[in-house]
Amino acid sequence: MNARVLVNGLGTDSVSALDRGLAYGDGLFETIRLVDGTAPFWPRHMQRLAAGCARLGLPKVDADGLWREALQVTQAMPQAVVRITLTRGIGQRGYALPIGTNPTRIVAGFEPPVIDRSVYRDGLRLRVCELRLASQPLLAGIKHLNRLEQVLARAEWDDPTVEEGVLRDIHGNVVSAISANLFAVVAGRLRTPAVDRCGVAGVGRAEVLAVCPHSQVGLLSLEALFAASEVFLVSSVRGVVPVRCLARQGYAPGATTRRLQQHWHELGFPMEQAG
């Protein structure tokens, strides 16, 4: 995978083997879509990153400095994905917080994934994952570095026709997809799971909730999801993607999905127009 990488502002792709991000997953990350040198959701990403830093006791982020580095690693890339990784840096051995924090900052630029236009038109095929997300309110919502649950969930299948998986909590309630938030229209109302005990509060999810303020946020059972009239996923990289099949249940992209795809297109994301 070709990438342009800055570590603490320097052009290298190496970090210390003693970094706490590597040793303990002690840090945060954001994955940000850029189009022609702009990032429509940049303020939302910086807001979540700042909230995550406050939660983990990391220093405040320099959003302006991160933006300059994001532009540097995506120079001459009209379409790009930027990953910002912040760790607590190098510390003494053990779980105790280091006396002084000198964070490691990694900013990497990538070409965006190639997604066939038919995906936005027709949708993805999903499965229900066996793995259950653990409940930890202190880490819920933020994008901390430990993604082992998602790694193990994605390892449950190798069928190339299944593109995503539905994750549930320990009580069996739907939380999200592996790498996206999930919305469903149930009995005419747009619903999405709460992420106050596990899961990630995605920036795309926040945008949908702002555009559709009457959405219901709360528990979403698997039975309710199967009964939905339309289901779609949303992420900062892929945008709004319909779901056409979950296990043996089929769905058709509906008016809500199409309206939000159009909204994404109006924000400047060309891949999200399903036409």
Side-chain angles (χ1 to χ4, degrees), residues 81 102 192 221:
V81 173
N102 186 18
T192 193
S221 69

Side-chain angles (χ1 to χ4, degrees), residues 120 230-232 240-242 252-262:
Y120 293 103
E230 56 181 302
V231 179
F232 62 87
V240 177
V241 183
T256 300
T257 304
R258 295 306 189 209
R259 178 164 68 92
L260 287 166
Q261 286 183 322
Q262 181 60 33

Side-chain angles (χ1 to χ4, degrees), residues 45-255:
H45 282 287
M46 292 301 101
Q47 183 180 24
R48 183 175 61 184
L49 187 59
C53 286
R55 193 95 62 91
L56 297 186
L58 294 173
K60 292 182 179 180
V61 298
D62 175 8
D64 291 338
L66 288 174
W67 178 243
R68 289 191 293 270
E69 292 184 347
L71 291 179
Q72 185 176 343
V73 298
T74 59
Q75 188 174 6
M77 297 170 66
Q79 300 278 337
V81 173
V82 170
R83 173 169 165 138
I84 296 172
T85 306
L86 298 178
T87 82
R88 205 178 299 273
I90 300 172
Q92 66 271 25
R93 184 177 178 278
Y95 294 132
L97 296 180
I99 295 174
T101 300
N102 186 18
T104 299
R105 182 183 74 257
I106 304 168
V107 180
F110 305 85
E111 294 287 344
V114 177
I115 304 174
D116 194 276
R117 197 174 176 83
S118 64
V119 169
Y120 293 103
R121 184 187 65 228
D122 304 325
L124 300 174
R125 182 182 173 200
L126 275 60
R127 75 188 302 273
V128 178
C129 296
E130 294 298 325
L131 180 140
R132 305 294 182 93
L133 294 176
S135 177
Q136 178 45 269
L138 185 60
L139 297 177
I142 64 175
K143 293 200 76 170
H144 57 82
L145 292 179
N146 192 325
R147 296 290 121 189
L148 278 177
E149 290 174 317
Q150 288 73 19
V151 169
L152 293 176
R154 183 59 187 86
E156 289 184 12
W157 80 94
D158 58 9
D159 182 349
T161 68
V162 177
E163 295 93 344
E164 257 283 11
V166 172
L167 294 174
R168 295 168 290 169
D169 63 17
I170 57 175
H171 303 293
N173 295 304
V174 174
V175 177
S176 66
I178 294 175
S179 58
N181 288 111
L182 181 147
F183 284 81
V185 177
V186 182
R189 186 168 188 182
L190 186 60
R191 297 175 60 181
T192 193
V195 290
D196 55 346
R197 302 194 67 82
C198 56
V200 174
V203 298
R205 175 181 183 271
E207 183 69 15
V208 172
L209 293 176
V211 174
C212 305
H214 300 297
S215 303
Q216 182 180 13
V217 179
L219 295 179
L220 179 64
S221 69
L222 194 57
E223 291 74 19
L225 183 59
F226 281 130
S229 58
E230 56 181 302
V231 179
F232 62 87
L233 307 182
V234 60
S235 73
S236 59
V237 172
R238 292 183 293 180
V240 177
V241 183
V243 172
R244 63 179 175 85
C245 180
L246 173 61
R248 296 183 179 180
Q249 178 63 44
Y251 307 96

